[in-house]
Amino acid sequence: MKKQITLTVNDKIHEILIKSNETLLDILRNHLRITSVKAACWQGDCGLCTILLEGVPIKSCLVLAYEADNKRVITVEGLSIEGSVSKLQESFINNGAVQCGFCTSAFLLMGHYLLKQGKPLERKEIEHLLNGIICRCTGYKQIIDSILAVSSISSE
Amino acid sequence: MTETISYVGLPKFEIEVPNSLEEALNLLHIHQTNCKPLAGGTDLLVDLRHRLIQPNVIIDVKNIPELKKLEFTPNELTIGAAVPISEVLTLSQIKTYYTALYQALNDMCDEILRNRATIGGNIATASPAADTAGPLYTHQAVVEVQSKSKGSRLIAIDKFFKGVKKSDLAPDELIVSINMPKPTINTKSAFMKMKRGAEDLALVGAAGSHNQEHTYLGFTAVAPTPVFLDISNLIIEKKISENVFQSIWKEIDSKISPITDVRSSRDYRIHITEILTRLILKEIIL
Ligand SMILES: Cc1cc2nc3c(=O)[nH]c(=O)nc-3n(C[C@H](O)[C@H](O)[C@H](O)COP(=O)(O)OP(=O)(O)OC[C@H]3O[C@@H](n4cnc5c(N)ncnc54)[C@H](O)[C@@H]3O)c2cc1C
Ligand code: FES
Ligand code: FES
């Protein structure tokens, strides 16, 4: 059965015809062609399909598309303001947190979410909070450094 | 538009989103084994993807008020079956009074999946490695389930698990809530798990609680179902001598039957169970 849903992605409203067995990941990549949302496992392990749904990080391969009806989705494109990079994106560049880049959108979204909570963050805590996303290149250190750097600027 | 993701999609099913418990129970009554409740979907969607199950109807239970309840009263804690773990963790009393459960939830899945995964889904899956099972036993949890045919019934957590991925739930029964009495002032509890990486399933999980009257232990991933032991009668003094430990270990050893799999060998699991038991007892009895 098909159903029409209204989905706001990065402030743009879309009316999309979905099938009941489609996931949010299927919609974002196949219908909307937002290919910054990656996928590698389709079963919750890699975290590369992470997006923000109503501001909260979820793994879009494990969420059915109809659940996003009338909700707001943010993908990495939604983090840059009018084409310029955010503080966190700049920090990723400065700290060399990007190698192949396949995991970068997911870590930026998660980092953005953690910083938005407004609590001071410690290295150990960031490590624990990031463990749902896999990076096979960087060894995580530079990613954590990047988030820590922005966290300490904003708490000064 | 052509599908660009080549990996197999989910099998076909219809979705129902009941707004009341009555409506949900009616749907379960009609569809029986042809339907499956959906909470966070972190087990269900994986099983669907791998065609381990192929229900015709998925019943999303996240709009049912009774399943969204999260309440701490002077007598007990009630956690609705569809409350995500991240929300359960916001209740400050969890850490204070239900330490073992807090420790398990805080380290379950990962920070992203905790926004979706529920305790109801964790026990309904009835995996031998279900992280919440041990803590729920040590906190003496009772599961409230409802169906159209049998009405409401309460299942003590130690009667809930029946085998690998088998529980006492009938196909038309829905878990409404998980309830735990408020522990007495001097109760201490703890949970520990041994795993390979940051978010792997437990090799062994161990939980314990202790007060003047009772000492309970719960283990996961060491038998087809979680293993629960009431060792109150073995705790004769405030200190656990090696002799007392050996009598406790004898009981545990007779009840566990770990397997060898990709994660670990049987012998290693038995060894870890012993170590974790020592650590848990040290943590809760002092
Ligand atoms: C990457 C990854 C890591 C994981 N890590 C862990 C871990 O560390 N520890 C652990 O224990 N588990 C882990 N899991 C398994 C899973 O996340 C948990 O078991 C979770 O608690 C399931 O809850 P859910 O709400 O997502 O359940 P769902 O997937 O929605 O449902 C699971 C099952 O329960 C049934 N169900 C759901 N709600 C009800 C209800 N109210 N009444 C009756 N039946 C119901 C469903 O029909 C289904 O069969 C992991 C899973 C993934 C993908
Ligand atoms: S694709 Fe790997 S977690 Fe979603
Ligand atoms: S940069 Fe390559 S996977 Fe993370």
Side-chain angles (χ1 to χ4, degrees):
Chain A
M1 205 176 70
K2 292 207 169 190
K3 184 185 184 253
Q4 175 100 352
I5 62 164
T6 307
L7 188 62
T8 307
V9 184
N10 304 327
D11 290 335
K12 204 170 150 211
I13 299 171
H14 301 268
E15 302 281 336
I16 309 163
L17 205 57
I18 61 155
K19 284 185 264 172
S20 49
N21 63 346
E22 279 180 304
T23 62
L24 191 48
L25 171 67
D26 297 332
I27 299 302
L28 293 172
R29 280 191 67 98
N30 297 350
H31 291 244
L32 299 177
R33 303 271 158 182
I34 304 178
T35 51
S36 67
V37 186
K38 303 296 182 197
C41 73
W42 290 268
Q43 54 175 18
D45 288 311
C46 72
L48 300 176
C49 64
T50 300
I51 53 113
L52 304 180
L53 182 62
E54 294 289 296
V56 176
I58 54 105
K59 296 186 177 180
S60 61
C61 68
L62 293 186
V63 175
L64 292 174
Y66 82 89
E67 286 196 48
D69 191 15
N70 292 317
K71 298 211 168 119
R72 286 175 307 123
V73 165
I74 295 178
T75 66
V76 75
E77 290 80 359
L79 298 186
S80 43
I81 310 124
E82 287 167 8
S84 63
V85 292
S86 70
K87 278 206 182 86
L88 183 62
Q89 286 170 316
E90 202 179 314
S91 185
F92 267 55
I93 299 168
N94 294 339
N95 286 286
V98 183
Q99 287 189 28
C100 80
F102 206 67
C103 67
T104 310
S105 320
F107 277 113
L108 279 170
L109 285 161
M110 192 59 191
H112 172 83
Y113 167 77
L114 295 178
L115 291 167
K116 259 207 130 164
Q117 308 303 299
K119 285 186 294 188
L121 291 163
E122 282 169 33
R123 176 172 291 275
K124 265 257 157 283
E125 202 185 348
I126 299 180
E127 241 170 61
H128 172 72
L129 296 173
L130 288 184
N131 75 9
I133 312 171
I134 291 175
C135 173
R136 281 288 102 111
C137 304
T138 65
Y140 305 100
K141 183 182 177 295
Q142 299 89 329
I143 296 170
I144 296 167
D145 287 346
S146 310
I147 299 172
L148 260 180
V150 179
S151 166
S152 49
I153 299 169
S154 45
S155 62
E156 265 165 23
Chain B
M1 199 171 279
T2 54
E3 304 225 335
T4 41
I5 288 190
S6 55
Y7 194 85
V8 279
L10 299 179
K12 287 207 173 78
F13 50 76
E14 295 305 324
I15 300 166
E16 297 279 0
V17 192
N19 288 310
S20 72
L21 185 55
E22 195 190 348
E23 204 186 320
L25 297 182
N26 264 329
L27 288 164
L28 282 157
H29 185 74
I30 296 165
H31 299 290
Q32 299 281 334
T33 50
N34 289 324
C35 71
K36 276 280 180 188
L38 166 73
T42 64
D43 275 324
L44 191 72
L45 262 69
V46 177
D47 285 355
L48 284 169
R49 178 93 59 193
H50 295 291
R51 272 57 180 178
L52 298 177
I53 47 167
Q54 296 209 33
N56 300 329
V57 181
I58 296 285
I59 303 172
D60 186 342
V61 298
K62 289 192 289 294
N63 279 356
I64 305 170
E66 287 87 342
L67 274 72
K68 285 164 56 177
K69 197 165 146 184
L70 178 62
E71 192 178 69
F72 183 69
T73 68
N75 300 323
E76 68 170 358
L77 169 68
T78 298
I79 303 175
V83 180
I85 289 169
S86 56
E87 193 183 330
V88 177
L89 286 169
T90 61
L91 201 70
S92 63
Q93 289 93 350
I94 302 278
K95 195 173 180 177
T96 329
Y97 295 107
Y98 305 92
T99 313
L101 184 65
Y102 171 82
Q103 289 166 337
L105 295 182
N106 197 39
D107 198 26
M108 223 177 109
C109 308
D110 60 57
E111 181 70 5
I112 307 171
L113 289 174
R114 283 192 286 273
N115 291 323
R116 302 276 303 174
T118 64
I119 300 178
N122 191 235
I123 61 171
T125 296
S127 152
D131 275 341
T132 65
L136 289 179
Y137 172 68
T138 62
H139 300 311
Q140 294 291 288
V142 173
V143 184
E144 188 201 343
V145 308
Q146 281 202 34
S147 65
K148 196 173 171 179
S149 59
K150 287 194 216 154
S152 171
R153 64 182 184 116
L154 299 174
I155 312 173
I157 195 74
D158 57 345
K159 303 280 184 304
F160 187 85
F161 301 100
K162 296 293 176 194
V164 178
K165 297 214 165 181
K166 285 199 187 75
S167 75
D168 195 38
L169 280 182
D172 65 339
E173 270 181 323
L174 196 63
I175 303 175
V176 176
S177 65
I178 295 102
N179 305 276
M180 284 157 267
K182 183 178 169 185
T184 56
I185 266 291
N186 297 313
T187 307
K188 275 198 88 176
S189 68
F191 170 82
M192 289 174 194
K193 74 174 165 181
M194 179 74 178
K195 51 183 183 170
R196 296 178 306 176
E199 16 74 71
D200 193 33
L201 281 186
L203 299 179
V204 176
S209 77
H210 168 77
N211 59 28
Q212 270 111 332
E213 283 100 53
H214 298 290
T215 306
Y216 300 112
L217 294 175
F219 298 94
T220 37
V222 291
T225 65
V227 170
F228 304 130
L229 289 99
D230 181 346
I231 55 161
S232 310
N233 62 333
L234 297 176
I235 308 293
I236 33 192
E237 50 179 356
K238 262 295 209 186
K239 208 175 135 278
I240 299 217
S241 64
E242 189 55 27
N243 271 346
V244 171
F245 179 77
Q246 287 307 328
S247 60
I248 295 171
W249 177 246
K250 217 174 119 193
E251 281 222 7
I252 298 170
D253 200 28
S254 72
K255 288 208 168 170
I256 64 174
S257 52
I259 54 163
T260 294
D261 67 5
V262 288
R263 292 193 168 79
S264 137
S265 71
R266 171 189 161 85
D267 286 351
Y268 184 67
R269 280 201 165 92
I270 294 175
H271 175 67
I272 293 300
T273 309
E274 185 187 332
I275 304 281
L276 289 184
T277 307
R278 287 183 188 273
L279 290 172
I280 290 279
L281 289 172
K282 218 170 138 186
E283 187 78 24
I284 60 176
I285 304 178
L286 255 181

